[in-house]
Each structure stands twice: as C-alpha cells, then as structure tokens.
Amino acid sequence: MQFTKRLASLSLLIALLQAGPSAQTAYNVCDYGAQADGTTLTTKAIQDAIDACHQNGGGQVVFPAGQYLSGTIELRDNVYLVLNGGATLLGSKNIADYEPKYLVIARDAKNIGLLGPGLINGQGDAFWRDKERPYVRPERTIELERCSNVLIRDLQIRNSAAFNIALEECDRVTITGVSIINDRNAPNTDGIDPISSSNVLISDCYIETGDDAICPKSHGTEKPCENLVVTNCVLISDDSAIKCGTRSDGAIRHCSFSNIVIRDTKYGIGFYMKDGGVYEDIQFSNISIETTRRGLERSFGTNSYAIFMDIEKREPSGTLGRIRDIAFSDIHIVTPDGNCLLAGMPEQKIENVAFDNVWMRVTDRTDLSGRRKPRGTRSLTDRATNDCADVLSHWTFAHIDGLTLRNFFIQDETGSAAFERHGVWALNVADFTVDGFRIEQAQPNETLAMIHLQDCRNARLEKTMAGKLSVPFVQILGEATRRISLINNDWSLSAKPLVVGKEIKSKEIFRQGNRVE
C-alpha cells in the first residue's frame, strides 16, 4: 500500500514536470488587450500580461490561436511565454518598435522560458531583402543575458532578422524540440549561439539557417562557454553547421556533440581560433556530414569543408590561442569537394586530436589551385602564412602535436582523373598514429602518393592497406623527419609501396611485419 502511494506521488510529479512550469497559473494576453489580428501592435498588452504574471509570483503568459504583432518584450523572473497551437508572435517590420533591438529579451532573470507548439515569425526579410548593407534591423529574435534555469521547448522560429537565439552568460539552459528555419540567403541568421554560457543542453532540434546553425563563443577569460551538450539534431547551414568561434578570447570547453545529421552545408564542423582563447575537451560522435554547398566559383574562393580547424591571429599584435583534446568518432562524410583541413601554426600547434572510425565518400573533386582557407571574418583578406587550402589532399594536417587516425576509409568515386588528391597529407605533425587506413579510387592517381608525410616525427603507420597503384602508397620527405615506424601494413598490391627521401637517414625509418609482395 505504501509503495503504491509512493508510486502515485512519483507519477504525479512526472506529470507536473511534463506539463510545463507553473501550469496552474495562466495569464491570457487577450485579457490584457492584445489583438490577434496580425496588424495591431500589441507590444504593451503582452508586456502588461508578463508584468502581471511576474508580480503575482509567476506562471504562464498564454497566446491563444491568432497572430500577435509586437516589438520588444521583456521576460521577468518565473514567467513562461506559451504560444498555443495556431498562435504566432509576429515581429514588427518597423525598427522603431524595438528598444533594444531584440524581439524577446530577458536580463538577469531566472526560471523563465518560451514554450510551443506555436510560432515566432520575426518577419526579418523586411529588413534585408533588396536592401544594401549596413542593414538596420533587429539584432536577435531571442536574447537572454545572464539568465538561469531557462527552458525553450517545442517552439517554432521562422524568418529572423539576424540571430535566432543568443545566450549571453546564461546558466542551466534547456532547448529541446525547437525548429528554426530561415531563408538560406538571410545574412547572419545564426541558429543558437551559446556565448560564455554554462550547462546548456540542446536536443531534438531542426535548425536551417542562413549562417551558422550552432555557434558556441566565449567573451573574456572569466566567462567560459562550458558544459555544452548537443544531441539528436538535424542541422542545415549556409555557413558552418557547428562552429567554435570566431570571436572567442576565453575558453570553449567540456562539450559533447552526438547523434547529429548535418546536411547541405558549406562547412560541417569548424574551429576558428583567432583571439587567443582555448578550445578544449570537445567530443563529436555519431555524426553524418553532407557538404553540398560548393565553394565560391572564382579564383581565391574557398571550398566546402566537412571538418575545418584553424589557428591564427585576427590582428598581427594579437595572441595565439590553443586548440587541444578534440575527439571525433563514428563520422560519416559525403562531399563533392573531398577535403578536410586542420592547421595550427608552427609556433602554436593544434594539440591532441583523435579520429576513430571515419568514412568519407567523395563524389567529385574541385580544382584547389589558388584556393584560400575560410577566415570566418570579412576583415582578413590577405593570404595567411599557414594557409594549406591549395594542398591537393582529401585530408590535410599541418602543425599538430598528437594526431591519431584510426579505422580511416576514403571512397573516391570521382569518374575523372582531373584534380587528383593525396588521401592524407601531413606537414610538421608529431606523435602521429595511423592505425587502419584504406582508400579506394574509381580513377587511381597517376602522380600523387596516397599518404604524404613531410617533416613528421614520432609517427606510426600500422595496418594500412594499399590497392593496385603505380604511385607510391606512402611517401616520406623532409630533413626534419624523425622516428617513423611502419608496422604490419599490407602493401602487396602496390607496385611502389614506399618512397623515402634521400635527405632522411635510414635509422629514422623502422619497418616490421609489412607485406610488400
């Protein structure tokens, strides 16, 4: 009997949590004078309902079915906006109705939220379509600053003027079941940007944007972006689906991205370190990446990159940041451009990056001659000193300490022999392990080796498998090359499995258990 009572109490608690916060107290915006006709500006009526809810201890501010035109509204402690099915909060097309330039804002608030299944339509194209820069427009659809215990659930967001959701120095945020859709040409329409925020969970979301879909950043060394979990999402982006940076002079750390489908994007996963911060302890697992947004079809344009990681300075007088302890596992890539790029600086290397179980299918190859790496900002127009974007390779690694490639497979289906590529090209990589590597090509290379190592140290190639090739499977060059181990590889089908530069002393190459015939 006692167990039955406890079970009933637990069931009641779960039901209350699933029903949403403060479900027993509701404030209907229409009771405060809001008009649901989509043409009458109802900002004051909505704000009056929010203020009354807050003053009476909190609850839900409810929007029945209809369209509610509004400028800036501000959430208060313990208030949850609830957009019922059929309800739409319309952003005003008049910039004078926004003060500050956000549709929904909360500052220093706790226990707040926005709940669906209704919709927010920012009507953002009214501020940029057929207009010239600089655009005069609302800067955020939802702006939360220094807020805690935030819930955004089952909400639809459409046609933002700029960023959709920005979290500035927030703590304990849950965003789940949210769909965000913008015109792919809409500029700066980031999906969700956690900025110097902690303990953020983003799950079960569909995000399609005209800029980065999910973009963690950090402002200031005292306010890291940390403890971020993103899972079970579909991301489509005109730029980067997942992007760390660019403006981050603090830390982004302790992050997990899993069970994510990335489609029709220019850059799948991007790291842009420019401002002296640190990106560390970040994991990516069970992720499918499709890059179908081609690079700019002009000289010095940029290709698409399934994975891109880069360190440089925004200004010559700036500080070099760090990227370290990054892990990728169970990554599936389909790409028409066929290249990924990870490059540190000679004086500040990327540290400890691991790839485990990676499959890349290349459907076409573009001409990389004259290409430049993406910079993540319009202000940088020169060619960077560590720019390796024109290297003819599917995977390009430069200036890295600690790199592991395990169970790596490249399937190059390109029917043309033009623009051939190395499978892996590595420059100045130390503590480098390749454990299981295979590449299949519809048109075998005629000039380029499958694996090219230049000035690498403490490298170990094990269990790699060569197909029928006339070019070297492994090419090792560079006077700085040291301690290369070649162990248990099957190169029996290759006519020329290994080429070692004359500048390398024989003692630096160790061979054991390799099958060469």
Side-chain angles (χ1 to χ4, degrees):
M1 184 68 174
Q2 191 68 26
F3 173 76
T4 302
K5 289 182 178 179
R6 287 199 300 266
L7 182 60
S9 299
L10 179 60
S11 299
L12 178 60
L13 175 61
I14 292 173
L16 288 172
L17 289 172
Q18 291 178 339
S22 304
Q24 70 281 11
T25 307
Y27 296 77
N28 188 323
V29 295
C30 295
D31 293 339
Y32 292 82
Q35 301 296 311
D37 57 15
T39 58
T40 304
L41 190 67
T42 60
T43 309
K44 184 179 183 303
I46 296 171
Q47 191 64 56
D48 286 347
I50 291 172
D51 293 345
C53 179
H54 166 67
Q55 290 163 8
N56 288 294
Q60 297 183 341
V61 173
V62 178
F63 293 72
Q67 294 189 328
Y68 302 84
L69 184 67
S70 180
T72 301
I73 56 176
E74 184 169 359
L75 279 177
R76 315 289 191 193
D77 288 356
N78 306 313
V79 175
Y80 293 80
L81 295 188
V82 180
L83 292 164
N84 286 346
T88 299
L89 177 62
L90 285 173
S92 170
K93 296 181 180 180
N94 185 352
I95 192 63
D97 293 330
Y98 296 91
E99 182 53 46
K101 291 183 180 180
Y102 313 124
L103 180 55
V104 179
I105 184 171
R107 292 183 171 128
D108 301 298
K110 62 181 183 295
N111 306 324
I112 61 172
L114 297 97
L115 312 178
L119 184 146
I120 296 177
N121 184 342
Q123 302 197 97
D125 58 340
F127 296 97
W128 61 266
R129 195 180 300 278
D130 300 324
K131 293 180 171 59
E132 296 183 358
R133 291 180 182 268
Y135 303 120
V136 179
R137 56 180 171 171
E139 297 171 358
R140 310 280 194 270
T141 296
I142 299 173
E143 166 79 4
L144 305 180
E145 301 174 3
R146 302 175 302 279
C147 296
S148 61
N149 294 336
V150 177
L151 174 62
I152 303 176
R153 187 183 68 197
D154 299 335
L155 191 66
Q156 303 177 70
I157 304 176
R158 302 289 184 269
N159 195 9
S160 289
F163 287 16
N164 286 264
I165 301 175
L167 310 172
E168 302 255 9
E169 299 183 17
C170 293
D171 186 27
R172 300 186 301 280
V173 179
T174 297
I175 301 174
T176 184
V178 171
S179 71
I180 297 173
I181 300 177
N182 297 272
D183 190 311
R184 295 293 295 277
N185 294 315
N188 311 115
T189 51
D190 286 24
I192 303 173
D193 284 20
I195 305 167
S196 293
S197 292
S198 302
N199 307 308
V200 177
L201 170 62
I202 301 170
S203 69
D204 306 289
C205 293
Y206 178 91
I207 303 175
E208 181 174 344
T209 66
D211 210 317
D212 309 314
I214 296 178
C215 185
K217 305 175 186 178
S218 63
H219 292 169
T221 57
E222 301 301 317
K223 293 291 184 180
C225 183
E226 61 184 353
N227 306 340
L228 168 66
V229 176
V230 180
T231 188
N232 299 342
C233 292
V234 176
L235 309 178
I236 299 173
S237 170
D238 183 65
D239 202 88
S240 297
I242 300 171
K243 177 177 169 184
C244 291
T246 59
R247 289 199 175 273
S248 294
D249 53 0
I252 300 174
R253 63 193 182 197
H254 314 319
C255 303
S256 173
F257 298 84
S258 65
N259 303 335
I260 295 172
V261 174
I262 295 172
R263 297 196 64 246
D264 193 15
T265 188
K266 189 172 184 181
Y267 312 125
I269 299 172
F271 287 74
Y272 295 77
M273 172 55 70
K274 297 183 181 298
D275 298 300
V278 57
Y279 306 154
E280 62 183 349
D281 185 22
I282 303 175
Q283 288 85 42
F284 300 88
S285 62
N286 195 26
I287 296 180
S288 175
I289 303 173
E290 176 195 64
T291 61
T292 55
R293 301 280 291 182
R294 286 299 192 98
L296 300 176
E297 295 302 324
R298 60 182 176 83
S299 298
F300 307 115
T302 61
N303 276 7
S304 69
Y305 291 93
I307 297 174
F308 176 81
M309 189 178 295
D310 181 59
I311 295 176
E312 66 173 338
K313 296 179 183 179
R314 189 181 299 273
E315 304 290 344
S317 59
T319 302
L320 282 173
R322 302 180 74 177
I323 301 176
R324 61 189 179 191
D325 305 335
I326 313 296
F328 300 84
S329 62
D330 299 310
I331 308 296
H332 185 284
I333 297 169
V334 178
T335 172
D337 285 327
N339 58 332
C340 296
L341 172 61
L342 290 81
M345 300 283 285
E347 63 272 36
Q348 183 63 76
K349 297 179 182 178
I350 295 171
E351 305 164 76
N352 301 327
V353 178
F355 291 88
D356 190 358
N357 196 21
V358 174
W359 184 83
M360 172 190 273
R361 178 159 65 92
V362 181
T363 59
D364 197 1
R365 295 190 298 242
T366 52
D367 183 3
L368 297 182
S369 59
R371 292 290 176 171
R372 293 185 178 182
K373 69 179 182 180
R375 309 299 288 275
T377 175
R378 295 174 182 270
S379 63
L380 297 175
T381 58
D382 62 318
R383 187 175 183 87
T385 57
N386 67 333
D387 196 335
C388 299
D390 59 353
V391 172
L392 306 178
S393 177
H394 291 311
W395 288 83
T396 301
F397 304 100
H399 314 304
I400 300 174
D401 275 347
L403 175 63
T404 299
L405 310 181
R406 184 177 290 112
N407 299 328
F408 226 72
F409 176 53
I410 301 172
Q411 183 177 355
D412 188 343
E413 299 177 345
T414 308
S416 170
F419 313 132
E420 68 178 54
R421 308 277 182 87
H422 300 285
V424 170
W425 184 93
L427 169 67
N428 189 23
V429 177
D431 299 322
F432 182 17
T433 298
V434 178
D435 183 1
F437 172 86
R438 184 164 59 96
I439 182 170
E440 293 181 358
Q441 293 179 305
Q443 290 290 330
N445 281 5
E446 297 179 357
T447 59
L448 300 180
M450 293 294 96
I451 298 176
H452 174 96
L453 306 183
Q454 181 88 28
D455 292 326
C456 294
R457 299 170 304 287
N458 299 335
R460 179 188 180 99
L461 272 63
E462 185 172 2
K463 293 184 289 188
T464 67
M465 183 176 294
K468 292 183 179 181
L469 298 169
S470 59
V471 298
F473 184 71
V474 178
Q475 181 179 51
I476 305 174
L477 303 174
E479 294 181 353
T481 299
R482 298 290 185 273
R483 297 177 297 280
I484 309 297
S485 297
L486 310 172
I487 301 173
N488 296 334
N489 298 288
D490 186 349
W491 300 335
S492 57
L493 296 179
S494 177
K496 191 185 299 182
L498 176 66
V499 170
V500 178
K502 295 180 180 180
E503 70 279 10
I504 300 173
K505 296 180 180 179
S506 59
K507 68 176 184 178
E508 302 296 347
I509 309 295
F510 174 77
R511 315 178 200 192
Q512 181 177 355
N514 300 299
R515 184 181 178 186
V516 295
E517 59 182 17

PDB file of all heavy atoms in Angstrom, residues 495-512:
ATOM      1  N   ALA A 495      52.679  -1.379 -56.706  1.00  0.00           N
ATOM      2  CA  ALA A 495      53.930  -1.528 -57.435  1.00  0.00           C
ATOM      3  C   ALA A 495      55.075  -0.783 -56.749  1.00  0.00           C
ATOM      4  O   ALA A 495      56.237  -1.158 -56.877  1.00  0.00           O
ATOM      5  CB  ALA A 495      53.766  -1.026 -58.868  1.00  0.00           C
ATOM      6  N   LYS A 496      54.761   0.280 -56.049  1.00  0.00           N
ATOM      7  CA  LYS A 496      55.779   1.093 -55.385  1.00  0.00           C
ATOM      8  C   LYS A 496      55.229   1.519 -54.023  1.00  0.00           C
ATOM      9  O   LYS A 496      54.782   2.654 -53.851  1.00  0.00           O
ATOM     10  CB  LYS A 496      56.116   2.316 -56.235  1.00  0.00           C
ATOM     11  CG  LYS A 496      57.338   3.098 -55.767  1.00  0.00           C
ATOM     12  CD  LYS A 496      57.526   4.381 -56.590  1.00  0.00           C
ATOM     13  CE  LYS A 496      57.735   4.075 -58.065  1.00  0.00           C
ATOM     14  NZ  LYS A 496      57.960   5.338 -58.847  1.00  0.00           N
ATOM     15  N   PRO A 497      55.234   0.616 -53.045  1.00  0.00           N
ATOM     16  CA  PRO A 497      54.546   0.903 -51.784  1.00  0.00           C
ATOM     17  C   PRO A 497      55.146   2.045 -50.977  1.00  0.00           C
ATOM     18  O   PRO A 497      54.418   2.760 -50.291  1.00  0.00           O
ATOM     19  CB  PRO A 497      54.641  -0.409 -51.010  1.00  0.00           C
ATOM     20  CG  PRO A 497      55.781  -1.148 -51.626  1.00  0.00           C
ATOM     21  CD  PRO A 497      55.802  -0.749 -53.057  1.00  0.00           C
ATOM     22  N   LEU A 498      56.480   2.249 -51.058  1.00  0.00           N
ATOM     23  CA  LEU A 498      57.118   3.227 -50.159  1.00  0.00           C
ATOM     24  C   LEU A 498      58.225   3.962 -50.882  1.00  0.00           C
ATOM     25  O   LEU A 498      59.069   3.364 -51.550  1.00  0.00           O
ATOM     26  CB  LEU A 498      57.689   2.503 -48.935  1.00  0.00           C
ATOM     27  CG  LEU A 498      58.477   3.347 -47.938  1.00  0.00           C
ATOM     28  CD1 LEU A 498      57.578   4.357 -47.242  1.00  0.00           C
ATOM     29  CD2 LEU A 498      59.165   2.448 -46.900  1.00  0.00           C
ATOM     30  N   VAL A 499      58.211   5.312 -50.709  1.00  0.00           N
ATOM     31  CA  VAL A 499      59.301   6.151 -51.199  1.00  0.00           C
ATOM     32  C   VAL A 499      59.777   7.009 -50.034  1.00  0.00           C
ATOM     33  O   VAL A 499      58.978   7.695 -49.392  1.00  0.00           O
ATOM     34  CB  VAL A 499      58.858   7.041 -52.375  1.00  0.00           C
ATOM     35  CG1 VAL A 499      59.933   8.075 -52.699  1.00  0.00           C
ATOM     36  CG2 VAL A 499      58.558   6.191 -53.600  1.00  0.00           C
ATOM     37  N   VAL A 500      61.089   6.966 -49.769  1.00  0.00           N
ATOM     38  CA  VAL A 500      61.681   7.745 -48.683  1.00  0.00           C
ATOM     39  C   VAL A 500      62.703   8.702 -49.281  1.00  0.00           C
ATOM     40  O   VAL A 500      63.574   8.294 -50.070  1.00  0.00           O
ATOM     41  CB  VAL A 500      62.355   6.831 -47.637  1.00  0.00           C
ATOM     42  CG1 VAL A 500      63.011   7.665 -46.538  1.00  0.00           C
ATOM     43  CG2 VAL A 500      61.335   5.871 -47.042  1.00  0.00           C
ATOM     44  N   GLY A 501      62.601   9.970 -48.933  1.00  0.00           N
ATOM     45  CA  GLY A 501      63.520  10.960 -49.459  1.00  0.00           C
ATOM     46  C   GLY A 501      64.971  10.687 -49.084  1.00  0.00           C
ATOM     47  O   GLY A 501      65.265  10.181 -47.985  1.00  0.00           O
ATOM     48  N   LYS A 502      65.871  11.043 -49.979  1.00  0.00           N
ATOM     49  CA  LYS A 502      67.298  10.810 -49.740  1.00  0.00           C
ATOM     50  C   LYS A 502      67.832  11.612 -48.563  1.00  0.00           C
ATOM     51  O   LYS A 502      68.874  11.270 -47.992  1.00  0.00           O
ATOM     52  CB  LYS A 502      68.090  11.152 -51.003  1.00  0.00           C
ATOM     53  CG  LYS A 502      67.789  10.245 -52.193  1.00  0.00           C
ATOM     54  CD  LYS A 502      68.611  10.646 -53.407  1.00  0.00           C
ATOM     55  CE  LYS A 502      68.299   9.744 -54.598  1.00  0.00           C
ATOM     56  NZ  LYS A 502      69.093  10.123 -55.802  1.00  0.00           N
ATOM     57  N   GLU A 503      67.147  12.676 -48.207  1.00  0.00           N
ATOM     58  CA  GLU A 503      67.607  13.515 -47.103  1.00  0.00           C
ATOM     59  C   GLU A 503      67.357  12.877 -45.738  1.00  0.00           C
ATOM     60  O   GLU A 503      67.828  13.379 -44.702  1.00  0.00           O
ATOM     61  CB  GLU A 503      66.905  14.876 -47.167  1.00  0.00           C
ATOM     62  CG  GLU A 503      65.408  14.882 -46.831  1.00  0.00           C
ATOM     63  CD  GLU A 503      64.518  14.454 -47.988  1.00  0.00           C
ATOM     64  OE1 GLU A 503      65.058  13.965 -49.011  1.00  0.00           O
ATOM     65  OE2 GLU A 503      63.290  14.619 -47.875  1.00  0.00           O
ATOM     66  N   ILE A 504      66.612  11.770 -45.705  1.00  0.00           N
ATOM     67  CA  ILE A 504      66.243  11.121 -44.439  1.00  0.00           C
ATOM     68  C   ILE A 504      67.215   9.978 -44.158  1.00  0.00           C
ATOM     69  O   ILE A 504      67.420   9.094 -45.011  1.00  0.00           O
ATOM     70  CB  ILE A 504      64.802  10.590 -44.500  1.00  0.00           C
ATOM     71  CG1 ILE A 504      63.833  11.745 -44.768  1.00  0.00           C
ATOM     72  CG2 ILE A 504      64.429   9.882 -43.199  1.00  0.00           C
ATOM     73  CD1 ILE A 504      62.408  11.307 -45.018  1.00  0.00           C
ATOM     74  N   LYS A 505      67.805   9.960 -42.988  1.00  0.00           N
ATOM     75  CA  LYS A 505      68.724   8.892 -42.605  1.00  0.00           C
ATOM     76  C   LYS A 505      67.961   7.593 -42.398  1.00  0.00           C
ATOM     77  O   LYS A 505      66.836   7.590 -41.884  1.00  0.00           O
ATOM     78  CB  LYS A 505      69.473   9.275 -41.339  1.00  0.00           C
ATOM     79  CG  LYS A 505      70.373  10.489 -41.503  1.00  0.00           C
ATOM     80  CD  LYS A 505      71.102  10.828 -40.207  1.00  0.00           C
ATOM     81  CE  LYS A 505      71.991  12.050 -40.389  1.00  0.00           C
ATOM     82  NZ  LYS A 505      72.690  12.411 -39.123  1.00  0.00           N
ATOM     83  N   SER A 506      68.593   6.494 -42.797  1.00  0.00           N
ATOM     84  CA  SER A 506      67.911   5.199 -42.756  1.00  0.00           C
ATOM     85  C   SER A 506      67.493   4.809 -41.346  1.00  0.00           C
ATOM     86  O   SER A 506      66.474   4.121 -41.161  1.00  0.00           O
ATOM     87  CB  SER A 506      68.825   4.119 -43.339  1.00  0.00           C
ATOM     88  OG  SER A 506      70.045   4.043 -42.600  1.00  0.00           O
ATOM     89  N   LYS A 507      68.217   5.246 -40.341  1.00  0.00           N
ATOM     90  CA  LYS A 507      67.881   4.875 -38.953  1.00  0.00           C
ATOM     91  C   LYS A 507      66.556   5.493 -38.494  1.00  0.00           C
ATOM     92  O   LYS A 507      65.986   5.056 -37.496  1.00  0.00           O
ATOM     93  CB  LYS A 507      68.988   5.303 -38.013  1.00  0.00           C
ATOM     94  CG  LYS A 507      69.132   6.814 -37.857  1.00  0.00           C
ATOM     95  CD  LYS A 507      70.204   7.169 -36.831  1.00  0.00           C
ATOM     96  CE  LYS A 507      70.276   8.693 -36.615  1.00  0.00           C
ATOM     97  NZ  LYS A 507      71.272   9.052 -35.589  1.00  0.00           N
ATOM     98  N   GLU A 508      66.082   6.495 -39.220  1.00  0.00           N
ATOM     99  CA  GLU A 508      64.839   7.158 -38.814  1.00  0.00           C
ATOM    100  C   GLU A 508      63.597   6.392 -39.266  1.00  0.00           C
ATOM    101  O   GLU A 508      62.489   6.720 -38.842  1.00  0.00           O
ATOM    102  CB  GLU A 508      64.781   8.583 -39.380  1.00  0.00           C
ATOM    103  CG  GLU A 508      65.925   9.482 -38.971  1.00  0.00           C
ATOM    104  CD  GLU A 508      65.983   9.754 -37.467  1.00  0.00           C
ATOM    105  OE1 GLU A 508      64.994   9.437 -36.769  1.00  0.00           O
ATOM    106  OE2 GLU A 508      67.006  10.280 -37.006  1.00  0.00           O
ATOM    107  N   ILE A 509      63.760   5.359 -40.102  1.00  0.00           N
ATOM    108  CA  ILE A 509      62.624   4.580 -40.604  1.00  0.00           C
ATOM    109  C   ILE A 509      62.744   3.157 -40.077  1.00  0.00           C
ATOM    110  O   ILE A 509      63.708   2.444 -40.359  1.00  0.00           O
ATOM    111  CB  ILE A 509      62.584   4.553 -42.143  1.00  0.00           C
ATOM    112  CG1 ILE A 509      62.681   5.978 -42.715  1.00  0.00           C
ATOM    113  CG2 ILE A 509      61.321   3.860 -42.623  1.00  0.00           C
ATOM    114  CD1 ILE A 509      61.523   6.868 -42.372  1.00  0.00           C
ATOM    115  N   PHE A 510      61.747   2.739 -39.280  1.00  0.00           N
ATOM    116  CA  PHE A 510      61.715   1.387 -38.724  1.00  0.00           C
ATOM    117  C   PHE A 510      60.598   0.614 -39.411  1.00  0.00           C
ATOM    118  O   PHE A 510      59.459   1.070 -39.492  1.00  0.00           O
ATOM    119  CB  PHE A 510      61.462   1.436 -37.215  1.00  0.00           C
ATOM    120  CG  PHE A 510      61.283   0.087 -36.587  1.00  0.00           C
ATOM    121  CD1 PHE A 510      62.383  -0.716 -36.333  1.00  0.00           C
ATOM    122  CD2 PHE A 510      60.021  -0.391 -36.260  1.00  0.00           C
ATOM    123  CE1 PHE A 510      62.228  -1.974 -35.751  1.00  0.00           C
ATOM    124  CE2 PHE A 510      59.845  -1.634 -35.686  1.00  0.00           C
ATOM    125  CZ  PHE A 510      60.965  -2.433 -35.428  1.00  0.00           C
ATOM    126  N   ARG A 511      60.915  -0.616 -39.889  1.00  0.00           N
ATOM    127  CA  ARG A 511      59.940  -1.420 -40.612  1.00  0.00           C
ATOM    128  C   ARG A 511      59.852  -2.807 -39.980  1.00  0.00           C
ATOM    129  O   ARG A 511      60.867  -3.425 -39.678  1.00  0.00           O
ATOM    130  CB  ARG A 511      60.331  -1.560 -42.086  1.00  0.00           C
ATOM    131  CG  ARG A 511      60.773  -0.272 -42.725  1.00  0.00           C
ATOM    132  CD  ARG A 511      61.194  -0.454 -44.158  1.00  0.00           C
ATOM    133  NE  ARG A 511      62.042   0.635 -44.615  1.00  0.00           N
ATOM    134  CZ  ARG A 511      62.373   0.859 -45.868  1.00  0.00           C
ATOM    135  NH1 ARG A 511      61.921   0.065 -46.823  1.00  0.00           N
ATOM    136  NH2 ARG A 511      63.150   1.871 -46.200  1.00  0.00           N
ATOM    137  N   GLN A 512      58.605  -3.266 -39.831  1.00  0.00           N
ATOM    138  CA  GLN A 512      58.426  -4.596 -39.246  1.00  0.00           C
ATOM    139  C   GLN A 512      57.074  -5.170 -39.656  1.00  0.00           C
ATOM    140  O   GLN A 512      56.044  -4.510 -39.555  1.00  0.00           O
ATOM    141  CB  GLN A 512      58.495  -4.531 -37.720  1.00  0.00           C
ATOM    142  CG  GLN A 512      58.350  -5.885 -37.042  1.00  0.00           C
ATOM    143  CD  GLN A 512      58.484  -5.792 -35.531  1.00  0.00           C
ATOM    144  OE1 GLN A 512      58.781  -4.746 -34.985  1.00  0.00           O
ATOM    145  NE2 GLN A 512      58.263  -6.897 -34.850  1.00  0.00           N
TER     146      GLN A 512
END
